[in-house]
Amino acid sequence: SAGHRIAYLSGVAWKRMLFVGNSSGRGWVEDTLFNPHYSQRLPPKFPTVLGAQPADFPYSLYCGEKRGHTALAMSSVSFDMSVFDSLLPLMNGMTVVSATEKEIHDPAAMARLIKDNGVDTFSATPSYLTNFLGFEEFRDAVKGLHTLVSGAEVFPPTLYTALKGISPEINIINGYGPTECTMTCASKNLKSEHSITIGGPGANTAFYILDRFGNILPPYGCGELIICGECVGRGYIGLPEKTAASFFRLRGLPAYH
């Protein structure tokens, strides 16, 4: 339930994770029990939260002048996306509206939830959006959204066209990032159905392309994407062999492939 979700985020989660920030924008520190990299390499001062810039979509969503005010949460706290749609909005002064199981699966109920609570920030997969846009009530609710974030699947050009046809001013952000790398480590604010990409790496994140021999390729090379930086996790609990196969270090940074 919504009550259980908020109780968990404000109770257990806050006891296990320490996030420190202040109005002067000097820093953001995470409990080193969960991510020891922070205490090793992050500089003592940052121009903004985590070194983010206005071009980074987490900054624009939660810190920018045109940021939203009310986010919709659909994810269970056991799912990584709950960090994005529940925890981050709460940490940055936004209101979080939690959807019930019925509302998540019912386009009309979801539309009422969005409109009745003034939701302006919404996150969902492309397939979810495509299905729900088939219902007039949901299409009408989309008109009130400020920002729509999508990921986990390929974002089709037809979906961009459909959303812009309903709400020409809506911000559509395509995100990318596996669970092992704290979810969304790349993003792009889409401007055209002809240029849909995952964008570039976010703050404190670096991307490299390696060939099959482990050599770093130049820009536009074709190979395997390697994600490096503070977003990379420590590994899989109780699975040392799988951890060793996926997590390593590249150019002094924690890396994942």
Side-chain angles (χ1 to χ4, degrees), residues 95-113:
T95 298
V96 173
V97 177
S98 294
T100 64
E101 192 73 16
K102 173 178 170 37
E103 289 164 336
I104 291 172
H105 297 289
D106 184 336
M110 177 59 74
R112 287 193 298 272
L113 182 69

Side-chain angles (χ1 to χ4, degrees), residues 63-193:
C63 308
E65 293 181 0
K66 297 182 179 181
R67 70 183 183 92
H69 298 283
T70 305
L72 183 76
M74 295 196 293
S75 304
S76 163
V77 293
S78 62
F79 183 48
D80 61 0
M81 189 60 185
S82 66
V83 174
F84 182 86
D85 66 13
S86 295
L87 187 56
L88 286 179
L90 288 174
M91 290 171 58
N92 288 278
M94 295 177 68
T95 298
V96 173
V97 177
S98 294
T100 64
E101 192 73 16
K102 173 178 170 37
E103 289 164 336
I104 291 172
H105 297 289
D106 184 336
M110 177 59 74
R112 287 193 298 272
L113 182 69
I114 292 172
K115 296 173 72 173
D116 291 349
N117 292 277
V119 171
D120 53 23
T121 304
F122 186 80
S123 305
T125 62
S127 59
Y128 183 96
L129 293 169
T130 299
N131 290 332
F132 271 43
L133 285 178
F135 297 85
E136 183 178 354
E137 299 96 329
F138 187 78
R139 293 196 300 271
D140 189 55
V142 168
K143 296 176 183 178
L145 296 179
H146 172 273
T147 299
L148 193 151
V149 183
S150 194
E153 301 168 358
V154 174
F155 194 100
T158 52
L159 178 57
Y160 177 91
T161 303
L163 289 166
K164 284 294 187 177
I166 297 169
S167 178
E169 300 301 318
I170 191 173
N171 294 312
I172 303 173
I173 297 171
N174 188 34
Y176 166 80
T179 301
E180 290 87 346
C181 298
T182 321
M183 304 150 42
T184 307
C185 51
S187 62
K188 181 179 181 181
N189 193 334
L190 301 180
K191 300 297 184 182
S192 168
E193 69 272 23

Side-chain angles (χ1 to χ4, degrees), residues 6-19:
I6 300 304
Y8 177 85
L9 290 174
S10 61
V12 178
W14 287 104
K15 293 176 183 176
R16 298 300 301 276
M17 292 182 289
L18 174 65
F19 296 89

